Amino acid sequence: MPEIDFQALRTGQRRALAKAITLIESSHPTHRKQAAALLERCLPHSGKSLRIGISGVPGVGKSTFIEAFGLFLIGLGKRVGVLAVDPSSPLHGGSILGDKTRMERLSREDHAFIRPSPAGRSLGGVANRTREAVLVAESAGFDVILVETVGVGQSEYEVHSMTDLFLVLMQPGAGDELQGIKKGILELADLIVVNKADGDAERLASQSVVHYKNAMGFLNHQGFWTPEVLSVSSIEPRGIDTLWERMVAYCEAGSEAIPARRTAQASQWFERLLNDGVTELLKTNAAWAELYQAQKQRVATGEIAPPQAALACIEPLENALKS
Ligand code: GDP
């Protein structure tokens, strides 16, 4: 693994950032230690971006939208990082999100950095590496970070838990049921954006805006912001400036709530890592792993109730900590 040139990273050199993220994505124990040290250096310089989650079913126009939105932001003098959480990315080979070939014009911009989803891990693992990549990209001076994910499953919750603002892209016309969008995902949305509001679909898009405004009215939202519904065309492009205005309004309204949300997110992330780490540590300890497997088996055969089995596993740990 090559040394990371921290100064190059801090001055926003994309090659240095790419190398840093490669280090972060490695699961080699030495690299994990180096990555932790790197994160420690990055932390004081992180946190200054707006983190935006973007979700939507395949084909809704995520990459077209991100390209148009990214170019718009660069036009405002911003530096844009695009990261992805793709639970379906195959073990080997590329992932379907955050791919440079999907956003050719944006990827040619000096002020854009695009990174596909880390591959070959559980969803939780992929999401954790993306969380780390957000911090590193921020310390490299990227001031808007877009985290893309597919609107089909659990990954929205992960992306929601690492971003300040969550945007769901929708197709014009088709109802949410038809788009395979779960009500739960609409509940996460701060902004619903009906894409492809152009040509023949423009009228349908306006109808969809009304539909989603009504649908959102039935959801129980809390906090500083009432979710809004807008339409855009990513190919023309049109409506992106209005969308950005609403995002700015969101940030102003959330000037106190957003930092509090980040604090809660960081603490949740810590708790999860701790749980995962301790469980992993135990499972790699031969004596304990044997006990764990035995109890797991006994639960599976109905020989023992889960609480009893869990206690049997925890007892030796308690004793070890006491001694
Ligand atoms: P993704 O799978 O969500 O990333 O979707 P893509 O960005 O690859 O877009 C899927 C298809 O929708 C492509 O053929 C795009 O050209 C088209 N598309 C995306 N945005 C728009 C738009 O604003 N208007 C129209 N008419 N087509 C769009």
Side-chain angles (χ1 to χ4, degrees):
M1 184 66 61
E3 276 293 305
I4 307 299
D5 180 344
F6 192 67
Q7 274 324 306
L9 176 70
R10 285 284 292 131
T11 54
Q13 291 181 31
R14 293 195 294 177
R15 256 176 68 83
L17 176 56
K19 274 190 201 167
I21 296 182
T22 302
L23 173 67
I24 276 172
E25 287 176 359
S26 167
S27 46
H28 190 286
T30 314
H31 297 160
R32 285 312 295 154
K33 288 211 174 94
Q34 287 171 344
L38 174 68
L39 280 177
E40 200 180 326
R41 290 185 81 182
C42 288
L43 195 67
H45 311 288
S46 69
K48 294 183 191 81
S49 82
L50 171 61
R51 304 168 183 168
I52 303 175
I54 298 176
S55 168
V57 294
V60 71
K62 289 182 296 301
S63 58
T64 315
F65 168 77
I66 290 173
E67 180 153 84
F69 184 45
L71 291 169
F72 170 84
L73 292 172
I74 287 170
L76 296 181
K78 304 213 174 286
R79 306 186 64 217
V80 182
V82 181
L83 305 172
V85 172
D86 180 0
S88 60
S89 60
L91 269 177
H92 303 289
S95 57
I96 61 168
L97 291 179
D99 197 330
K100 277 195 193 117
T101 57
R102 295 165 69 232
M103 302 170 204
E104 241 172 87
R105 279 178 61 211
L106 187 61
S107 67
R108 283 201 297 269
E109 293 286 332
D110 277 344
H111 285 181
F113 175 82
I114 302 174
R115 182 80 177 191
S117 175
R121 294 172 196 282
S122 65
L123 172 59
V126 167
N128 280 335
R129 298 307 156 90
T130 304
R131 283 185 179 89
E132 295 180 19
V134 168
L135 298 181
V136 179
E138 286 177 345
S139 74
F142 285 82
D143 34 32
V144 180
I145 311 276
L146 309 177
V147 186
E148 180 187 10
T149 194
V150 272
V152 288
Q154 284 295 312
S155 58
E156 286 71 26
Y157 294 91
E158 293 283 1
V159 172
H160 184 263
S161 77
M162 66 177 88
T163 49
D164 305 317
L165 188 167
F166 194 73
L167 183 160
V168 179
L169 277 182
M170 291 294 207
Q171 303 267 16
D176 36 322
E177 325 73 43
L178 292 178
Q179 295 189 38
I181 295 278
K182 306 272 181 314
K183 187 168 157 247
I185 291 165
L186 290 182
E187 275 171 353
L188 297 179
D190 301 301
L191 291 169
I192 290 193
V193 178
V194 179
N195 189 31
K196 307 189 187 179
D198 49 55
D200 292 346
E202 205 171 334
R203 247 194 70 224
L204 265 183
S206 317
Q207 289 168 358
S208 302
V209 168
V210 175
H211 168 83
Y212 287 115
K213 277 187 177 161
N214 288 334
M216 296 304 277
F218 290 113
L219 298 177
N220 188 15
H221 288 284
Q222 294 164 341
F224 67 94
W225 180 255
T226 306
E228 296 186 4
V229 188
L230 294 90
S231 64
V232 301
S233 167
S234 300
I235 48 166
E236 285 195 356
R238 193 150 44 92
I240 306 278
D241 46 355
T242 311
L243 173 62
W244 176 244
E245 273 170 35
R246 299 318 298 149
M247 289 180 172
V248 171
Y250 175 90
C251 293
E252 281 166 5
S255 61
E256 283 175 19
I258 294 171
R261 174 164 158 178
R262 284 189 175 187
T263 308
Q265 288 174 342
S267 121
Q268 247 179 34
W269 182 17
F270 165 69
E271 295 292 341
R272 267 179 55 179
L273 286 177
L274 199 62
N275 285 338
D276 293 354
V278 171
T279 310
E280 191 53 37
L281 190 70
L282 289 171
K283 287 182 182 171
T284 50
N285 172 294
W288 195 84
E290 199 178 312
L291 177 66
Y292 159 77
Q293 286 301 345
Q295 298 305 324
K296 195 171 154 177
Q297 183 63 24
R298 293 178 74 198
V299 170
T301 55
E303 198 183 318
I304 185 173
Q308 210 184 340
L311 275 181
C313 290
I314 291 164
E315 204 176 15
L317 300 178
E318 278 178 344
N319 293 339
L321 287 173
K322 275 186 211 142
S323 62

